[in-house]
Structures are given as structure tokens and as C-alpha cells.
Amino acid sequence: MYFPATEKTLPAFKHALLAVALLGAPFAVQADAAADYNEGLAAYRKGDVTGAMSPLKRAADGGIAEAQALYGTLLDSAELDDEAQGYLLKAAGQGNADGQYGLAKMYLTGEAKAPDEREVARLIRAAVAQEHPAATISLALAYTRKDARFGADALTPETGPLLLKAAELGDVNAIESVSTAYRIGDYGLPVDAAKADQWSTRLAEIRGVKPGARKK
């Protein structure tokens, strides 16, 4: 069967196919990078850090933010600070919470130099906004210490709710602070003897101390 319009439209059709093929290439690369990330993550979860590094690097170089964050964190643990910072910067730039927290931690410990004094707080807060556990605990405890780098203190309205979240995540220092706060009314939390007792009991359980017993 012959369609007269085909001869005229064939060149345009070829161009369209070429455009689709070219547009599909990045997706194929992205799929490969995602597969590399899954391979690296699986190895990492099995405790095979050495086996995780190569696929994680390929995935990180392929633009996978989760891979950039994990690979950067592993490099940081290996004291390869310059490389670690580069990958964590990429992950943080994509809004990845692990990357934001990992980079902030490097700035806080002096392993990397922050572009300005406000960057640490910005990164931590961005990670907290995504409910990153370690970032939440870090910011809550920074408030109780009145850490000036975060521009906050114990009277900041966020302190109480953040401390509760940190305590619910199981952080011992946060649990102790929450228990005391409910006992005396602090960090914006009301006096509540029942809640104070609940958190004291949980703290004792974590520490392996019977409620009311003195630690040796």
C-alpha cells in the first residue's frame, strides 16, 4: 500500500527517530549508574566496603546523588578529605540529605573549609528539613549547648520539638535532656512528671541500669 505523503515526511521521520535516540542515551546512562549504585549499596550493606567502592564511584560519576553521598562518606572515613568533599558537594548540590549532613560534618570537624560561617548551619538545617536522623540529633544538641555556629540557643522555639525527635531516635544525651526538661520545665517543654518518668525509664533501659539504682 502506498501513501503519497510518506516520501515527503520520511526525512522528518528519520530526524524524529534520531532525536528520540539521542534523548534516550542519557536515560540509558542513568539506568547503568542506578544499577551500579544498587550493586555498590548491596556490597556495602554486606560489609564489603572494598567491593562497594568501584560501583559506587561509577554511580557517583554518573550523577546518582545517593551514590555521591555514600561514596563521599566512605572517602571521608578513609581520610581522603579532598575527594570526599568533592563528592559530598555534588550530593548536597542535588539536595541529598546524606550529602548535606556529611559535608556539614566535614566542615564542623575541620576536615574541609566551609565557604562561610553560615554554611554549616544551612546544610544541617536543610538535612533536618528532610528528617535526616543524625542531622536532627546534631542540631538539637547544638541548641542545648548554645552553639553559636547555629545561631540558636536553648530558648529557641525549635529546641524542645527537636530534642523530642532526637530522643525518639534513641540518642542518649537527648533522652536525658528531655527527661530533665519535663522534670523542671525547660527548653520550652512543660513540667510533666509522668513524661519525665517515662523518659528516665527509657534512659535506664538503654544504659542497663535499673530505675532508681545508682550507677557503679
Side-chain angles (χ1 to χ4, degrees), residues 25-26 43 58-59 61 72 77 99 104 111 117 122 154-155 158-159 163 176-177 181-182 185 203 209:
R58 291 195 299 270
D61 291 340
S77 298
E111 295 173 292
E117 61 183 14
R122 186 192 72 78
L155 299 178
E158 294 175 87
T159 304
L163 265 179
E176 187 170 26
S177 294
Y182 276 128
L203 182 62
V209 178

Side-chain angles (χ1 to χ4, degrees), residues 56-101:
L56 284 177
K57 184 180 188 305
R58 291 195 299 270
D61 291 340
I64 303 296
E66 293 83 358
Q68 292 165 347
L70 180 53
Y71 187 62
T73 298
L74 294 176
L75 289 172
D76 180 27
S77 298
E79 302 298 332
L80 298 171
D81 295 339
D82 289 342
E83 292 179 69
Q85 181 184 6
Y87 281 101
L88 290 172
L89 271 168
K90 291 178 181 179
Q94 294 196 64
N96 179 272
D98 286 328
Q100 291 164 343
Y101 175 72

Side-chain angles (χ1 to χ4, degrees), residues 153-170:
D153 58 36
L155 299 178
T156 300
E158 294 175 87
T159 304
L162 267 178
L163 265 179
L164 281 171
K165 287 183 179 180
E168 288 162 0
L169 288 167

Side-chain angles (χ1 to χ4, degrees), residues 2-86:
Y2 174 69
F3 295 95
T6 303
E7 291 182 351
K8 294 181 181 179
T9 58
L10 187 57
F13 181 64
K14 286 182 178 179
H15 287 306
L17 285 178
L18 178 59
V20 170
L22 290 174
L23 286 171
F27 291 105
V29 172
Q30 193 76 0
D32 290 341
D36 284 330
Y37 171 63
N38 289 331
E39 178 186 342
L41 181 62
Y44 172 73
R45 285 177 172 172
K46 291 177 182 178
D48 183 10
V49 176
T50 301
M53 294 301 280
S54 291
L56 284 177
K57 184 180 188 305
R58 291 195 299 270
D61 291 340
I64 303 296
E66 293 83 358
Q68 292 165 347
L70 180 53
Y71 187 62
T73 298
L74 294 176
L75 289 172
D76 180 27
S77 298
E79 302 298 332
L80 298 171
D81 295 339
D82 289 342
E83 292 179 69
Q85 181 184 6

